[in-house]
Amino acid sequence: MHLSDLRGRSVAVWGTGREGMAAATAVAAHGPASLCAVNDRATFLSLPWEGPLAEAAPLVTGEEGLARLLAADVVVRSPGVPNTHPWMAELRRRGVTVTQGTALWMADHARRTVGVTGSKGKSTTSSLISHLLTAVDRPNVFGGNIGVPLLDLPEAELYVLELSSYQCTDLTDSPRVAVVTALFPEHLDAHGGEREYYRDKLNLVAHGPQTVVVNGADPRLAAELGDRPAVRAGLPDTTHVAPGPDGAPWFHLRDRPLFPRTALPLVGRHNEGNLCVALAVLEALGVDVVARRHDLAAAVARFQGLAHRLAEIADPSGLTFVDDTLATSPYAAMHAIDAYEERPLTVIVGGTDRGLDYTPLREHLAERELTVIGIPDSGPRIVEALAGLPKVRTETVDDLVDAVRLSRELTPAGGVVLLSPAAPSYGRFRNFEHRSEAFRAAVAETGAG
């Protein structure tokens, strides 16, 4: 469905955050027969609905909102409206067409778009793709799940988008290059279960992309893709890491060495995989990766890691404190722990308890020697899941400051203190940025004097 298809139809925009505002503005410009905005509950994402926007799309709240949604020909929902919302079930039962601003935008721009999703790595990988394309004279606009609704993006010859599972759900067009970085259970409460989450995530590749690029080292992703044609980055027949001319690890394109692993300033094997995916995308877009390898190496060396993802904090004690507050699942925490496998390690875990299964984390740490400190709310349950592991010391404390203070006592000289919570931040903190600020403040406070 294109925006132009909404002309002369009754449309309801569901959600009044940035996505809803962008959708209402775009739909209004295409001459719908009627247009309203529905907000069933105010959240911190809601924005003031006033002025010309309110005139074009009058706001309806509360239970009256359901009646307006059911009466519409088309409902444009914001990504924050979950599939499990009870009103969604009623809309489906009545046969009302439901779409999103992301899907409306993609219908008109898919052939000019690289779309990146994944349970882990999508932010870093999409940023790398945009950064490297710019370095080889391929200008692009970077957007998506980074706070900029697609319907607000300027016109461009090429787009690189980070897309959440919520944004992928209603797509009926795949981008020219569809990229999936990893797959593990996440956001199950919003999608309805593990199978539903995988279905919604992989909807990105379900509508005729020219090329699919995936992380070939992810076994769950491989199983879910089956025999679907895809470039499987990280394997020898495409971009991968292997010994180079000097015997040290290098990035390669098939049998051609590109540049040393040391060019990439990001730690962890998962970030090696992210760069392999990014390089495979460039080749899919026609970039001569071998010929431009020196330009690419220089651009890789300039790439700055994203905030809140394995961001190291200097400390006079000689300990390395690491902010990985965006690791909100056990699988993400496992990647972070692996990034520091050669150093003494203390990991701080815990946050909003979504009832996740921490058995995979237990299995991953079965042979590791490290300390795990649990903080509310889910920290004690994570610590309990690790009970009995012979090389894992576990502790629980009442808050993040106490966790940082204890970590200073327990972590050997030259070691790492890693905040990789394996749980979201809501409840005790406003959002992940607030948790990150609190961690940095705790490092400063406990190190004073």
Side-chain angles (χ1 to χ4, degrees):
M1 176 177 287
H2 301 257
L3 275 166
S4 58
D5 296 329
L6 302 181
R7 184 176 303 278
R9 306 182 76 178
S10 170
V11 181
V13 171
W14 186 3
T16 57
R18 284 177 294 191
E19 291 279 351
M21 185 173 289
T25 301
V27 173
H30 284 78
S34 66
L35 176 62
C36 70
V38 174
N39 187 2
D40 61 302
R41 59 187 181 90
T43 72
F44 71 98
L45 295 173
S46 300
L47 297 173
W49 206 264
E50 55 196 14
L53 183 65
E55 294 177 14
L59 179 62
V60 180
T61 60
E63 288 299 319
E64 184 186 351
L66 177 58
R68 297 298 295 270
L69 294 175
L70 293 173
D73 297 322
V74 179
V75 170
V76 183
R77 64 164 168 161
S78 295
V81 176
N83 277 338
T84 52
H85 195 295
W87 290 6
M88 281 294 295
E90 185 64 15
L91 289 169
R92 292 190 187 101
R93 191 180 73 81
R94 300 280 190 97
V96 177
T97 299
V98 178
T99 187
Q100 288 185 47
T102 300
L104 293 169
W105 183 93
M106 192 70 75
D108 290 321
H109 298 86
R111 296 300 93 188
R112 290 180 274 159
T113 299
V114 176
V116 183
T117 196
S119 305
K120 177 71 174 175
K122 62 183 179 293
S123 299
T124 298
T125 302
S126 56
S127 298
L128 270 167
I129 293 167
S130 177
H131 176 72
L132 296 181
L133 284 169
T134 300
V136 294
D137 310 311
R138 296 288 297 274
N140 61 92
V141 168
F142 182 42
N145 188 42
I146 58 170
V148 182
L150 270 60
L151 289 170
D152 282 343
L153 294 179
E155 280 300 309
E157 290 299 314
L158 182 62
Y159 298 90
V160 179
L161 305 180
E162 177 194 335
L163 298 171
S164 69
S165 55
Y166 311 122
Q167 291 172 303
C168 292
T169 300
D170 293 324
L171 292 177
T172 54
D173 300 88
S174 290
R176 172 182 172 183
V177 181
V179 182
V180 189
T181 60
L183 207 58
F184 52 75
E186 260 282 37
H187 307 301
L188 304 189
D189 51 342
H191 291 271
E194 187 171 345
R195 298 305 320 157
E196 291 80 5
Y197 169 70
Y198 295 158
R199 176 202 64 203
D200 293 343
K201 200 76 165 168
L202 293 178
N203 191 44
L204 181 73
V205 306
H207 305 284
Q210 180 176 308
T211 307
V212 175
V213 178
V214 301
N215 174 7
D218 188 308
R220 185 176 287 103
L221 180 51
E224 293 295 327
L225 283 172
D227 58 1
R228 184 190 300 272
V231 177
R232 299 175 190 263
L235 302 183
D237 61 345
T238 177
T239 50
H240 65 286
V241 176
D246 58 0
W250 278 52
F251 289 95
H252 289 68
L253 175 59
R254 292 179 282 279
D255 61 348
R256 297 296 300 275
L258 299 175
F259 46 81
R261 166 63 177 88
T262 53
L264 178 65
L266 307 184
V267 300
R269 286 192 297 273
H270 64 293
N271 279 319
E272 293 177 8
N274 292 335
L275 180 53
C276 286
V277 170
L279 292 169
V281 169
L282 264 64
E283 190 190 31
L285 291 172
V287 175
D288 189 335
V289 172
V290 174
R292 302 299 302 266
R293 63 188 182 278
H294 299 301
D295 297 323
L296 291 169
V300 166
R302 294 192 303 269
F303 184 75
Q304 298 294 312
L306 303 180
H308 320 300
R309 297 169 177 84
L310 294 179
E312 297 188 355
I313 304 168
D315 189 76
S317 68
L319 296 176
T320 300
F321 288 85
V322 182
D323 173 15
D324 194 42
T325 191
L326 280 176
T328 57
S329 76
Y331 299 92
M334 287 152 52
H335 284 304
I337 290 167
D338 286 350
Y340 294 97
E341 61 185 352
E342 302 299 327
R343 297 176 63 182
L345 181 62
T346 297
V347 185
I348 300 172
V349 299
T352 304
D353 196 340
R354 296 181 294 171
L356 296 178
D357 178 12
Y358 289 99
T359 303
L361 180 60
R362 177 187 175 86
E363 294 172 348
H364 192 73
L365 300 183
E367 302 301 323
R368 286 294 303 269
E369 183 174 351
L370 75 165
T371 298
V372 177
I373 301 175
I375 61 174
D377 294 319
S378 60
R381 193 166 68 81
I382 299 173
V383 164
E384 183 180 354
L386 303 179
L389 292 180
K391 299 180 182 179
V392 177
R393 173 175 180 169
T394 58
E395 304 282 349
T396 58
V397 294
D398 291 334
D399 59 33
L400 186 53
V401 175
D402 286 344
V404 173
R405 183 177 291 111
L406 181 59
S407 72
R408 288 187 179 277
E409 299 173 9
L410 300 181
T411 309
V416 174
V417 178
L418 170 66
L419 173 65
S420 195
S425 53
Y426 298 115
R428 304 264 171 167
F429 303 96
R430 293 187 303 274
N431 47 39
F432 68 85
E433 291 98 342
H434 184 204
R435 180 163 63 183
S436 178
E437 292 168 7
F439 179 59
R440 288 176 176 270
V443 172
E445 175 185 335
T446 58

